[in-house]
Amino acid sequence: MKNPYEILGVKKTASDQEIKTAFKKLAKKYHPDLHPDDKSAEARFKDVSGAHEFLKDKERRRRFDAGEIDASGAEKQQQQYYRDYAGASASGGHARQDGFASNEDLEDFLSRAFGGAGMGAGMGAGGPGGRRSSMKARGQDVTYTLRVPFLHAATGAVEKLQLPDGKTLNVTIPEGAEDRQTLRLKGQGGPGFGGGPAGDAYIELHIQPDAHFVRKDDNVHLEVPVTLKEAVLGARIEVPTLTGPVSLTVPKGSNTGTKLRLKDRGIKNAKTGQKGHLYVALKVVLPDQEEPELSAFLESWNPRHAQNPRKEMLS
């Protein structure tokens, strides 16, 4: 392999992050999926992947920078012992010249040096044993965003994610999922190269606001309109919850802003397994059509207790 720094186009003083960034840019540019049947792009991708695997190993990078090993991971000082192996039999071949007992030992060393990449079949002309190194590379991780309805996030659901290539992923939304929460789908990222494993897919959830429910921590808040009669005399009404409507008692003499609690009707906490509560705020509404009897009653009604609801505002 050539100088790994030159392959990635970075300086010898480059940081780990700079090396990683350069690799991602080049890997995306030369990925075989984007260049089918392009042997030069495939070869370039192999070089880029190999250089990244080499440099991300801190000890191997240190030894290369110190001149202890070359870009293939072989010990440089072993070259001085070439004469000791000059008389080796043909079966030993290059392995003995490089200081290894056999070709199998050489293959094993190169496999470990390149992060698990083995030595595949099909060596070019003149290569003993007819072998050529085959680089394995893990696929790239990918990131997507997924819009999720509030109720699906609150109670859990399976959402379909449309990918740029037309395929779809089934994403399991956990109960109580939060806005901007990221889910990891192992092996659902970019394909591996040379038999390497696929990357992972990271899904960032964007929870959509609901028309009625508002989440605050593990509790859910809901405003429910009630009629004047229900508020004054009390009533039994149906109210929506995350899992369907339930019956709720409106106390006699309720007013706008009166809060009632439905226990354990909120969001399930992922860590504790406990559910929050649903808080219902009542809102008194007048009839949407004329009610002559109500008007006549109010005209003749003299409240026993005089009231000025704006008193605090005017003081």
Side-chain angles (χ1 to χ4, degrees):
M1 185 174 71
K2 301 176 183 178
N3 187 308
Y5 293 109
E6 295 178 359
I7 293 175
L8 295 178
V10 297
K11 297 180 180 180
K12 191 175 180 179
T13 56
S15 65
D16 292 343
Q17 184 58 46
E18 288 173 332
I19 290 173
K20 184 177 181 181
T21 300
F23 163 68
K24 285 186 174 182
K25 181 179 180 180
L26 293 173
K28 183 177 181 180
K29 180 179 180 180
Y30 294 107
H31 198 285
D33 287 351
L34 301 178
H35 304 278
D37 303 322
D38 187 339
K39 297 300 182 182
S40 61
E42 180 180 333
R44 186 78 171 108
F45 181 79
K46 285 184 179 181
D47 288 343
V48 168
S49 299
H52 178 246
E53 288 295 321
F54 188 95
L55 292 178
K56 79 176 185 179
D57 185 321
K58 294 185 182 299
E59 176 60 16
R60 195 169 4 168
R61 181 182 177 184
R62 182 197 67 77
R63 298 191 66 197
F64 177 76
D65 291 346
E68 297 176 6
I69 60 175
D70 60 22
S72 70
E75 300 280 351
K76 281 190 174 181
Q77 59 266 37
Q78 291 177 351
Q79 296 174 359
Q80 62 183 309
Y81 300 119
Y82 176 84
R83 63 179 182 277
D84 297 333
Y85 301 94
S89 64
S91 61
H94 289 294
R96 293 190 179 279
Q97 293 176 15
D98 290 332
F100 294 92
S102 65
N103 283 334
E104 287 71 20
D105 288 345
L106 173 60
E107 178 180 347
D108 180 65
F109 172 78
L110 290 178
S111 175
R112 285 183 279 108
F114 283 92
M119 300 286 286
M123 180 92 172
R131 295 175 177 268
R132 174 189 296 167
S133 63
S134 176
M135 178 63 66
K136 288 184 180 179
R138 180 179 178 277
Q140 283 186 291
D141 293 337
V142 293
T143 302
Y144 303 107
T145 59
L146 177 62
R147 296 180 180 273
V148 181
F150 179 89
L151 287 177
H152 289 187
T155 61
V158 176
E159 296 285 324
K160 289 188 178 296
L161 174 64
Q162 189 76 30
L163 303 184
D165 60 4
K167 298 179 181 178
T168 58
L169 280 180
N170 289 326
V171 182
T172 299
I173 310 300
E175 183 178 355
E178 299 184 38
D179 190 43
R180 296 304 190 271
Q181 179 177 341
T182 299
L183 305 178
R184 176 193 176 201
L185 301 184
K186 188 175 182 181
Q188 295 297 324
F193 181 78
D200 300 330
Y202 290 88
I203 316 298
E204 184 178 81
L205 305 181
H206 289 197
I207 311 303
Q208 303 303 288
D210 188 80
H212 306 294
F213 298 107
V214 176
R215 177 176 181 173
K216 294 182 180 179
D217 297 323
D218 295 331
N219 298 319
V220 176
H221 295 256
L222 171 70
E223 186 179 72
V224 174
V226 292
T227 67
L228 181 61
K229 184 176 182 178
E230 290 170 336
V232 173
L233 302 180
R236 193 79 177 166
I237 64 173
E238 274 198 337
V239 297
T241 72
L242 300 179
T243 55
V246 299
S247 185
L248 175 69
T249 298
V250 177
K252 183 185 293 187
S254 293
N255 205 340
T256 292
T258 297
K259 280 192 176 182
L260 306 175
R261 187 185 76 164
L262 289 174
K263 187 179 179 181
D264 299 333
R265 290 283 182 173
I267 304 290
K268 181 179 179 180
N269 188 287
K271 294 182 179 179
T272 66
Q274 303 262 332
K275 283 194 173 183
H277 310 307
L278 174 61
Y279 289 93
V280 177
L282 301 181
K283 179 182 179 182
V284 181
V285 296
L286 296 176
D288 54 7
Q289 295 182 5
E290 287 190 15
E291 294 287 349
E293 293 84 355
L294 177 59
S295 297
F297 166 74
L298 292 175
E299 286 175 359
S300 62
W301 178 46
N302 291 313
R304 182 177 300 179
H305 305 287
Q307 181 185 17
N308 182 359
R310 297 166 295 282
K311 182 178 179 179
E312 291 186 1
M313 297 175 64
L314 299 172
S315 61

